[in-house]
Amino acid sequence: MHFSTIISTFLTLGVSSVLAAPTTPSFIDTTSSTGNYQDVSDYFNLLAKKALNSHFMSVAPVCDVNSAVMSESPVPLEPPTAGLTLHHVAIGRGVQNYTCANSSSAPEAAGAVATLFNATCLASTHPEIANILPSVALKFDLSDGDRNSAFPRISLFPSNLAVSGKHFFNSDGVPFFNLDTPAASYGKASCAKDAAESAPDTAAKGQKGENAVAWLRLNTTDDGTTGSIKQVYRLQTAGGSPPASCEGMDSEFSVQYAAQ
Ligand SMILES: *[C@@H]1O[C@H](CO)[C@@H](O)[C@H](O)[C@H]1NC(C)=O
Ligand SMILES: *[C@@H]1O[C@H](CO)[C@@H](O)[C@H](O)[C@H]1NC(C)=O
Ligand SMILES: *[C@@H]1O[C@H](CO)[C@@H](O)[C@H](O)[C@H]1NC(C)=O
Ligand SMILES: *[C@@H]1O[C@H](CO)[C@@H](O)[C@H](O)[C@H]1NC(C)=O
């Protein structure tokens, strides 16, 4: 399958608000499974349908964040605490880190780092695309844009969502979301895990066939949080889980993942 052909077709169709990257990262297919192509193919089919439908729409879609609907894991996480409203939807793309004590131990979680891309409008207008995007984006490495450009831009291929923040673990090992960027100051969220539920069996595997990490609900804590964010959900996960055993693994390693 020739993605570059499909992509240039879409650019000709004028779907440049969804597809436009200065460089095209290669498709990663280390598992050689046809399921790998399926998600990417579904994604472009969805875009094609939207592009055709948009010809019949008389007004541009309104990005009303209140119309976004949260996906549910097989065992649903608690809904947001009463009184809270949805503030921002992001697609996170990065790595989960693990450490290994010795070859007979099990890998231990050691934080994560991910770039967050603004999917608020996408989740409000085209939730199916926002839901499949983590799986599709994991099939490509994060692109740092045109390296020869004076303004390289990190991009979440094959979308062109703008960066809205950064997820990492701080020096105390606390999951942290920094949503202050030149585009907006949504605040910094210092979090504690509230609950975890397994991803659906159909969740996208990682670049080397790794299972999808759990779906989570996190609460913010007073320590280091600015702005008004109270809860963070990690949904629609793709990849990110470690192997069951440390055998053959380095003492520190990272597993690629993506999530909504
Ligand atoms: C391997 O590491 C685990 C976890 O730290 C430890 O409990 C175990 O004793 C270690 N085994 C060996 C053979 O060193
Ligand atoms: C995770 O590993 C990456 C390298 O893959 C590194 O850049 C990052 O600092 C690590 N983050 C944490 C929290 O350990
Ligand atoms: C994210 O997208 C929403 C909806 O299009 C927009 O209102 C908001 O300003 C964007 N935020 C950032 C940080 O780009
Ligand atoms: C997270 O916040 C909710 C709502 O305040 C609360 O019910 C729940 O116990 C909190 N979880 C933790 C682990 O503190």
Side-chain angles (χ1 to χ4, degrees):
M1 194 177 286
H2 298 285
F3 290 107
S4 52
T5 317
I6 303 172
I7 288 154
S8 50
T9 309
F10 273 93
L11 289 175
T12 333
L13 267 175
V15 195
S16 51
S17 62
V18 190
L19 286 163
T23 51
T24 307
S26 341
F27 180 71
I28 296 156
D29 187 22
T30 46
T31 57
S32 296
S33 87
T34 47
N36 247 348
Y37 286 100
Q38 193 58 51
D39 289 344
V40 180
S41 154
D42 288 351
Y43 177 81
F44 284 107
N45 283 332
L46 277 170
L47 287 185
K49 248 190 246 166
K50 303 289 177 195
L52 283 174
N53 289 344
S54 68
H55 289 303
F56 303 106
M57 282 196 243
S58 49
V59 287
V62 176
C63 303
D64 175 10
V65 69
N66 296 311
S67 56
V69 176
M70 198 172 91
S71 310
E72 274 192 357
S73 40
V75 175
L77 290 160
E78 287 272 313
T81 299
L84 299 184
T85 54
L86 180 62
H87 193 53
H88 185 65
V89 181
I91 304 295
R93 177 72 182 84
V95 292
Q96 294 284 329
N97 291 350
Y98 299 94
T99 56
C100 271
N102 55 56
S103 62
S104 50
S105 61
E108 296 225 20
V113 49
T115 307
L116 305 175
F117 296 86
N118 190 354
T120 301
C121 190
L122 194 60
S124 317
T125 55
H126 302 308
E128 327 83 291
I129 297 181
N131 288 344
I132 202 179
L133 193 50
S135 149
V136 175
L138 189 58
K139 313 279 189 289
F140 302 89
D141 277 330
L142 261 193
S143 142
D144 58 1
D146 180 358
R147 272 160 237 219
N148 298 320
S149 155
F151 301 101
R153 179 178 172 277
I154 297 174
S155 71
L156 183 75
F157 194 79
S159 81
N160 74 347
L161 300 181
V163 170
S164 60
K166 195 103 193 134
H167 167 52
F168 55 93
F169 278 60
N170 71 14
S171 52
D172 297 327
V174 168
F176 205 89
F177 296 82
N178 183 350
L179 295 166
D180 286 342
T181 61
S185 294
Y186 295 147
K188 298 182 170 72
S190 182
C191 297
K193 197 197 292 180
D194 169 68
E197 294 295 348
S198 298
D201 291 342
T202 51
K205 304 270 186 207
Q207 291 184 348
K208 295 177 181 161
E210 301 94 344
N211 288 331
V213 286
W215 292 26
L216 303 177
R217 185 173 92 161
L218 306 134
N219 287 349
T220 59
T221 59
D222 291 339
D223 193 17
T225 297
T226 64
S228 57
I229 299 169
K230 301 289 181 215
Q231 281 173 333
V232 176
Y233 284 82
R234 180 177 80 184
L235 313 169
Q236 298 291 355
T237 52
S241 293
S245 144
C246 281
E247 198 176 351
M249 302 308 291
D250 290 338
S251 58
E252 291 181 3
F253 64 94
S254 299
V255 180
Q256 299 275 333
Y257 87 110
Q260 184 186 89

